[in-house]
Amino acid sequence: AIKQQLAKTRKHFERSFGAREVDFAKITQECGLPRFANRALFRYVTRDMGESSKSALSGNAVIGKRSRQTDRETWPSFEHFCRVWTRVRRASADIHALLFNILVDDATNLRPFLTRDDMKVIVSDVVDHHYELEFLEGQGQFLQSYTETVVERIFYASGRSWDGKMQLSQFRKINVAGILGSIEDGIDVNISNPGLFSYKHFYVLFCSFFELDLNRDSMLDARDLLRYFNGTLSRRIISRIMMGKGKPSEHAPKRPPNDAKAKAKAEKRRAKGGSRYDLNVRLSDCRMTYTDFIWFLLSEIDKTSPTAVEYWFRCLDLDGDGVLSIYELEYFYDEQISRMEEEMAGDIIMLDDLMCQLSDLVRPEHEGMITLKDLRRVPPTIIPVFFDAFMNLSRFVEHESRTSCLQRQLAQLSMRALPKTSFEDVIQMRIEFLASLPNPWSEFADLEYAALLNDHEQTEQNYDEAAAADSSVDVAAA
């Protein structure tokens, strides 16, 4: 396979292609890599290229409005490319390992993981060269935010990348090579289920953040998060989120002064049950960055994803022992009971009744002790019910009506199929129906994007009407 790939690429090296990185895409695709892996491969091949490794045939000036800093004075020679490609290809078991090695390989810092900066190489290639994203050129901060969003979504989808380090197994799991290949046909236009590079999804995330960021300092505090969906989240879960318990925050909070007064205060809080809190963190000092918010919103909207399950489990696990005890869940549910008394006219679900229902749904290995392993075995439709019961009262109440609606749809499907269809086929039809339901995040993003566009159009219409009214007044005054 290596010899065949090199034979295909030889003809390109025998002609002068100039010095632009974009021209090297022909080589990238001949090697079996996606078009948008071109920048990564070009950087990898030319990284240690000396004068003797340059091609004698290519040396034209860099031209074109979309020339980049990655453009070089010349392509590498075919002999140099053969050496580099053969080495990395033999060290890679499949296309996932190949792309991983090209991205991670650094002669000055050998490591078995990818960082966000590594991933920005392929994201920037998409931004610079995809026809749907040409409008982002020259947009500065907006372009940077889009890049950050896509990188964070890739790390979020990989799961267990809380420390910003992605292993090969995680890279292979999310199939980055496949994603890069699929977006060649489009990112949002005529795409039924936009993926990680979706501009619409980015726009929803970006606007949702700045809708809460009233002082425009690109940071959210606990008071900002209290306004999320009109105060739907409990104060206690917000404190855990802001302390970075779900995902370690990019903004490190300040530590209280190390003096006798501070120590005495900490001891007093500990005596009152302070073990439920991080005594070294003051909530007023905690901030949520935009990248932290991406993880929060994705987890809040779609609680069924593996990353979301772990995110909320970590928030509820007050002592960090990997087990949710009845005492920890009671701590969060106490606030929910208070909200029920205020908002539901005394219609209260007591904790004992709730725990009986949840235990039947979750079926933990040890009664009264729920682990992350237990929750990962639970059907996806149950997970949001479990978490929302302890932190999002309005969503918890909505689940009952949604479940009833879904049950009616499944019943109608079965009634139409039976008795003409076998029972096994009916079961398969029900499974396919459930699988066809829209992803919670995609459904939310589509609705929010439509609402944002409508608001924008309404604002422009109001502005035009106001401008026309002013013109009429000026004409009348004349």
Side-chain angles (χ1 to χ4, degrees), residues 140-414:
Q141 184 61 42
F142 210 58
L143 186 152
Q144 180 181 341
S145 297
Y146 172 82
T147 302
E148 289 178 351
T149 301
V150 175
V151 170
E152 287 303 318
R153 291 195 66 189
I154 291 173
F155 272 79
Y156 181 91
S158 71
R160 303 195 60 81
S161 296
W162 310 94
D163 57 357
K165 299 177 181 179
M166 186 186 299
Q167 310 294 330
L168 175 57
S169 58
Q170 298 165 312
F171 186 81
R172 181 179 281 115
K173 171 187 172 184
I174 58 176
N175 189 17
V176 173
I179 293 172
L180 292 178
S182 67
I183 63 174
E184 291 181 19
D185 297 327
I187 292 177
D188 283 308
V189 178
N190 298 324
I191 302 297
S192 59
N193 187 24
L196 303 180
F197 283 84
S198 170
Y199 176 81
K200 293 195 300 185
H201 292 187
F202 152 70
Y203 193 69
V204 169
L205 285 161
F206 185 81
C207 292
S208 298
F209 178 81
F210 282 97
E211 183 179 322
L212 297 174
D213 182 25
L214 295 182
N215 61 2
R216 296 295 183 265
D217 64 348
S218 299
M219 294 277 188
L220 301 183
D221 58 25
R223 289 171 297 182
D224 293 325
L225 210 56
L226 278 170
R227 292 185 291 101
Y228 171 77
F229 271 86
N230 298 318
T232 186
L233 294 175
S234 70
R235 292 176 178 269
R236 290 182 175 179
I237 200 66
I238 286 176
S239 70
R240 297 287 294 173
I241 295 168
M242 295 304 299
M243 288 179 182
K245 301 304 179 180
K247 171 191 175 293
S249 177
E250 299 292 327
H251 174 80
K254 298 177 182 178
R255 299 289 175 175
N258 187 23
D259 54 22
K261 185 177 180 180
K263 290 181 179 179
K265 186 175 181 180
E267 289 296 331
K268 185 176 180 180
R269 290 176 64 186
R270 187 178 291 109
K272 291 183 177 180
S275 60
R276 293 177 172 179
Y277 303 92
D278 186 340
L279 299 179
N280 293 319
V281 176
R282 292 183 300 204
L283 189 58
S284 59
D285 292 330
C286 296
R287 296 292 184 273
M288 176 182 283
T289 65
Y290 174 61
T291 53
D292 296 331
F293 180 80
I294 293 171
W295 286 64
F296 158 73
L297 190 61
L298 292 174
S299 298
E300 210 287 309
I301 298 301
D302 183 8
K303 297 182 177 70
T304 64
S305 71
T307 306
V309 172
E310 185 168 353
Y311 183 98
W312 294 118
F313 184 90
R314 290 157 65 110
C315 285
L316 296 178
D317 186 12
L318 293 170
D319 55 13
D321 65 349
V323 175
L324 300 183
S325 66
I326 186 66
Y327 304 106
E328 289 170 314
L329 297 178
E330 181 182 18
Y331 168 74
F332 290 99
Y333 198 67
D334 281 347
E335 184 177 351
Q336 301 295 69
I337 290 179
S338 299
R339 300 184 77 174
M340 289 180 198
E341 293 173 341
E342 296 174 0
E343 303 172 13
M344 300 176 62
D347 188 9
I348 300 174
I349 303 173
M350 301 308 296
L351 179 62
D352 290 343
D353 296 333
L354 176 69
M355 289 307 300
C356 286
Q357 297 178 33
L358 294 180
S359 294
D360 290 340
L361 294 173
V362 176
R363 298 185 180 278
E365 290 185 4
H366 304 286
E367 189 67 28
M369 301 174 66
I370 299 175
T371 64
L372 188 58
K373 181 180 178 181
D374 294 327
L375 292 177
R376 284 174 172 162
R377 293 198 309 264
V378 175
T381 54
I382 304 301
I383 291 292
V385 179
F386 177 86
F387 285 125
D388 286 333
F390 301 102
M391 62 189 191
N392 193 327
L393 182 60
S394 60
R395 288 258 173 88
F396 177 61
V397 173
E398 289 175 4
H399 285 306
E400 184 175 355
S401 60
R402 289 183 179 180
T403 301
S404 299
C405 179
L406 182 59
Q407 288 175 342
R408 286 196 299 271
Q409 289 176 310
L410 289 172
Q412 291 172 358
L413 179 67
S414 300

Side-chain angles (χ1 to χ4, degrees), residues 467-478:
D470 290 342
S471 299
S472 299
V473 171
D474 292 341
V475 170

Side-chain angles (χ1 to χ4, degrees), residues 16 42 51 65 133 138 159 209 256 261 333 374 388 430 461 468:
S16 175
F42 188 74
E51 290 295 326
K65 69 170 187 175
L133 300 176
F209 178 81
K261 185 177 180 180
Y333 198 67
D374 294 327
D388 286 333
R430 289 166 68 98
Q461 182 179 343

Side-chain angles (χ1 to χ4, degrees), residues 3 27-28 36 47 50 53 88 175 185 212 239 278 353 425:
K3 290 182 178 180
I27 302 297
T28 301
F36 294 112
R47 185 192 61 204
S53 300
V88 69
N175 189 17
D185 297 327
L212 297 174
S239 70
D278 186 340
D353 296 333
D425 289 340

